Amino acid sequence: MNKFMIKPEIIFGEDSLNYLKDIKYNRFLIITDKSMVQLKLVDKITEKLPKDSKIKIFSEVEPNPTVDVVEKGVKELFFFQPQCIIALGGGSSIDACKGILYFGNKFFENLGKSNKNIEFIAIPTTSGTGSEVTSYSVITKGNSKIVLAYDEMLPKIALLNPGFMKTLPKKIIADTGIDVLTHGMEAYVSKNRNPFTNSMALEAIKLVSKNLLEHFENPKDLIPRENIQYASCLAGIAFNNSSLGINHSIAHSLGAKFHISHGRSNGIVMPYIIDVNDQGEEFYVEIADVLGLPGRTPKEKRQALKIYVEILKEKLEIPKSLKELGVDFEEFKKLLPEILKDIKNDICTVYNPNSLNDEEYISLLLKIYFGE
Ligand SMILES: [Fe+2]
């Protein structure tokens, strides 16, 4: 039995924040990070909420949210008892909020209570993770990442507003943009793909190919900015239903071990995955065809797609390899057994087109390190 689910109601457009004006609640917990407070982006939310609202701002989320932050958030949830929880920020704030709601549920259940009626609104301020439309959350524990996947963590409302992306630093546009492409690509070749996820993944890939570089060069231009936001959301819906693959499993581990942002680690890894996934060749060929890439045979087209990604990475100033990024080889070698264990335990691994053995993983990881 298969399932395709589109749950969050998606509110989008330049005036989308007006949705908050008519909301029927008056106790709001906002989960965000300090930069959103400093840049006064939180004010854009609070000024729209009903006048008599009680608002509590929890701004302790940091990149790669930890179990500690989730615990603190659960305490806020317990003491403040909001009717509505708003996650404002990049994937980290939305993922932290999901963790807070999930563990908050468990906590309340142990007390014989329920907090499942809390309205959950996700407002992304970057275009990348698609976390506003997924039931996934990545939480860091020590130097490992735990991937949670529960439908009860899906936001009720995904509120997209392109205004937040106008002032994003170029590095963030590059990292989050390449993450969108990875989501589209992994969803499209996933063993769990279906016609619904395929159409959304392919449209996301097309939007990235037509708009990402323009958005990177001119973040203030509305059309590319809005199109990348749509791509992020579409790819999120696709992979929430099809799952991802070893591009993400490897990136999760490398990101946690060497403190690399999620998107950047995915970007570093991507060409090597296209190379190794010969079982997904026919689907990579379809992507290459949509992008108008050359090639006489399926293998040549898959190679053309790999080269396309390498060129895109170069233009986005994303390093070719871990070595180019400055990761120490001795450190990398020492951590290889742990990385291998992480990859095998990651929930994304199971839907990758190719199943790799230990020797193949080590060979792949060495290519990712040396860039060969
Ligand atoms: Fe991702």
Side-chain angles (χ1 to χ4, degrees), residues 299-310:
K299 196 171 177 187
E300 276 183 17
K301 288 203 175 182
R302 184 158 57 97
Q303 278 306 303
L305 184 62
K306 182 192 163 191
I307 293 165
Y308 168 84
V309 172
E310 285 171 345

Side-chain angles (χ1 to χ4, degrees), residues 32-72:
T32 190
D33 61 59
K34 290 200 171 51
S35 70
M36 292 291 132
V37 178
Q38 281 156 5
L39 296 168
K40 299 197 182 304
L41 295 177
V42 174
D43 299 357
K44 288 185 185 293
I45 306 303
T46 54
E47 67 197 20
K48 293 280 183 192
L49 293 172
K51 290 284 170 272
D52 59 341
S53 298
K54 299 251 180 316
I55 303 167
K56 175 95 191 174
I57 297 168
F58 175 77
S59 60
E60 295 190 36
V61 179
E62 286 178 349
N64 303 318
T66 59
V67 174
D68 290 350
V69 164
V70 170
E71 269 176 22
K72 283 186 194 167

